[in-house]
Amino acid sequence: MKYIDFKNIDINDENFNNQDLKIAGNIIKSGGLVLFPTETVYGLGANGLDSSAVKKIYLAKGRSSDNPLILHISDMDMLNEIATNISTIEHKLINAFWPGPFTLILTRTSIVPDIVTAGLDTVGIRMPSNKIANKLISYAGVPIAAPSANISGKPSGTNISDIFYELSNNVDCIIDGGSSEVGLESTVVRVIDGIPTILRPGKVTPEEIRKITKSVKIDEHIFSKFSSNEKVLSPGMKYRHYAPNSKCVLVYSENNSLLVNKILELSNKYNNPLILATTENISSYTDKNLLTINIGHKDNLNEIAKNIFTSLRQVDKLNPDIVFIEGVKQEGLGLAIMNRLIRACEYNYISI
Ligand code: TXA
Ligand code: MG
């Protein structure tokens, strides 16, 4: 296994040596698996046009074969190879949000293997802004199929040390690019009857989309469970996700002291509770000798987004008997944060 350490390297520097990335690109092209950084979360990548390479992704993750993958591209020529019938509104979204944390579901062409799309006639496509990801894709010369780097059901990987033991045995190359800038996966959008519909909320918010297209819808399943016979627009949303081993409960109130008091009251009933709390509230819990993890400042949703998956992973190391998580307002980036937290808590949500 090849390990490439780019943690402290400035890839915008003109003296930057691309040799290692060329090797990683060749590993992709010839059917290997590469763990690589993107601006959202780490990806577990393979040649998106090679069915047997893509199959290795499903095996390494233990991912269900009915859950399609996103293809990552580095330029618009690649887009036209894999997608067709792109409408004016879809072009507007592409121009506004690529490269960046935005995935668009488009009609696929016949070169996209069935295994990538789980048999659907659409394919999810994203052009990452992370420079390492972009160069890797262009050296590979093919779209890279990549889900988030984690065993299915676990929180997505946002730094190499969180996922090393879980995935390193099954990959041919690891590119360490430090901590992910955004920390949450991309916004997934499909244009339905001319209206951009958010299937998975992310860094690109509904408000930002509405500015470009005048209209936006949020799929009703973002905060609800699926019943078993429902038709699912984004298969990934129906699975258990992001959940630590311990039972987690999400608690939210617009009134901060109500929120803290509720968590203190609930914690009292347990021997070894753990609280994922905002910086401002930490001392209210530590004063009572409760165990905490700091998820970031209340009014800095970018900081909370960046910390959330790595905090959920720390939970398993502490092995508490229950976890209470402070929620945030479901607005802007808060929509994506709460979507991931509600799933991590398997819909145990108290709103007061
Ligand atoms: O930020 C991201 O999107 C990261 C990085 C690595 O790019 N990738 C990622 O991939 O989160 P993954 O596989 O963990 O999540 C992809 C989501 C899943 O919920 C999947 O069901 C949905 O996108 N998806 C993929 N193709 C789709 C399609 N054709 N139609 C509907 N949903 C699709
Ligand atoms: Mg994922």
Side-chain angles (χ1 to χ4, degrees):
M1 196 263 290
K2 183 171 174 62
Y3 185 87
I4 304 174
D5 188 355
F6 277 169
K7 272 198 300 295
N8 302 310
I9 281 184
D10 175 9
I11 79 157
N12 293 314
D13 180 343
E14 53 186 83
N15 296 320
F16 167 72
N17 181 355
N18 284 324
Q19 203 45 44
D20 277 334
L21 273 185
K22 284 186 186 151
I23 295 171
N26 271 323
I27 293 176
I28 292 276
K29 205 191 302 186
S30 54
L33 285 190
V34 176
L35 227 170
F36 68 101
T38 83
E39 68 277 19
T40 55
V41 299
Y42 273 80
L44 179 59
N47 181 342
L49 304 181
D50 174 347
S51 303
S52 49
V54 173
K55 190 167 183 199
K56 294 183 195 166
I57 296 177
Y58 283 89
L59 291 175
K61 279 191 66 116
R63 181 171 173 120
S64 162
S65 61
D66 71 352
N67 192 2
L69 303 176
I70 296 173
L71 289 181
H72 296 71
I73 58 173
S74 55
D75 57 56
M76 296 306 267
D77 290 342
M78 273 190 191
L79 174 65
N80 295 319
E81 281 170 30
I82 56 179
T84 179
N85 292 331
I86 304 174
S87 66
T88 313
I89 189 162
E90 286 162 343
H91 274 297
K92 270 193 184 174
L93 292 166
I94 287 171
N95 290 336
F97 300 118
W98 281 0
F102 183 83
T103 296
L104 195 56
I105 309 294
L106 294 168
T107 305
R108 67 152 155 165
T109 63
S110 58
I111 70 162
V112 179
D114 279 348
I115 188 169
V116 170
T117 67
L120 300 174
D121 55 7
T122 55
V123 59
I125 305 177
R126 175 163 110 77
M127 188 189 288
S129 60
N130 179 289
K131 293 269 169 38
I132 298 173
N134 184 279
K135 286 200 173 186
L136 176 70
I137 302 162
S138 58
Y139 285 135
V142 290
I144 297 185
S148 53
N150 53 278
I151 297 277
S152 282
K154 288 277 153 212
S156 306
T158 54
N159 62 74
I160 292 296
S161 62
D162 277 357
I163 46 178
F164 188 85
Y165 289 105
E166 163 171 331
L167 293 171
S168 58
N169 284 337
N170 295 318
V171 299
D172 303 290
C173 174
I174 292 180
I175 308 175
D176 190 342
S179 291
S180 308
E181 198 183 311
V182 176
L184 292 179
E185 308 90 335
S186 60
T187 307
V188 176
V189 168
R190 178 167 177 182
V191 176
I192 301 172
D193 298 330
I195 301 176
T197 306
I198 298 180
L199 306 183
R200 179 179 71 184
K203 170 74 179 164
V204 173
T205 61
E207 294 80 1
E208 287 172 301
I209 295 171
R210 188 180 288 113
K211 270 193 199 139
I212 304 299
T213 58
K214 307 279 187 296
S215 60
V216 66
K217 261 192 199 162
I218 301 173
D219 186 62
E220 57 183 304
H221 294 107
I222 280 177
F223 289 112
S224 64
K225 276 189 210 180
F226 285 95
S227 64
S228 54
N229 54 0
E230 258 180 298
K231 188 170 181 306
V232 178
L233 279 177
S234 181
M237 298 298 274
K238 71 182 176 183
Y239 291 105
R240 181 176 188 269
H241 230 141
Y242 315 119
N245 296 326
S246 311
K247 179 182 171 175
C248 298
V249 182
L250 181 61
V251 188
Y252 179 68
S253 170
E254 284 208 19
N255 179 325
N256 192 53
S257 51
L258 267 184
L259 170 68
V260 172
N261 286 334
K262 185 72 186 173
I263 292 181
L264 286 172
E265 175 201 320
L266 292 166
S267 299
N268 244 332
K269 300 178 184 147
Y270 293 86
N271 292 327
N272 187 26
L274 168 68
I275 296 135
L276 266 57
T278 50
T279 313
E280 291 81 355
N281 292 340
I282 288 280
S283 61
S284 309
Y285 305 117
T286 49
D287 285 352
K288 304 262 186 296
N289 290 321
L290 293 165
L291 199 59
T292 57
I293 292 176
N294 186 346
I295 58 171
H297 292 84
K298 227 179 185 40
D299 57 3
N300 187 346
L301 294 181
N302 286 322
E303 185 188 10
I304 296 178
K306 217 173 160 137
N307 287 336
I308 211 73
F309 285 143
T310 193
S311 301
L312 287 169
R313 281 177 171 276
Q314 279 175 52
V315 167
D316 282 338
K317 292 181 194 140
L318 299 169
N319 201 27
D321 52 8
I322 185 122
V323 185
F324 295 106
I325 306 178
E326 289 188 355
V328 299
K329 197 171 180 160
Q330 284 174 27
E331 215 177 71
L333 185 55
L335 192 68
I337 294 171
M338 288 297 274
N339 166 269
R340 306 311 190 271
L341 288 177
I342 280 177
R343 288 184 149 66
C345 294
E346 301 186 77
Y347 304 93
N348 294 310
Y349 178 37
I350 300 172
S351 174
I352 40 174

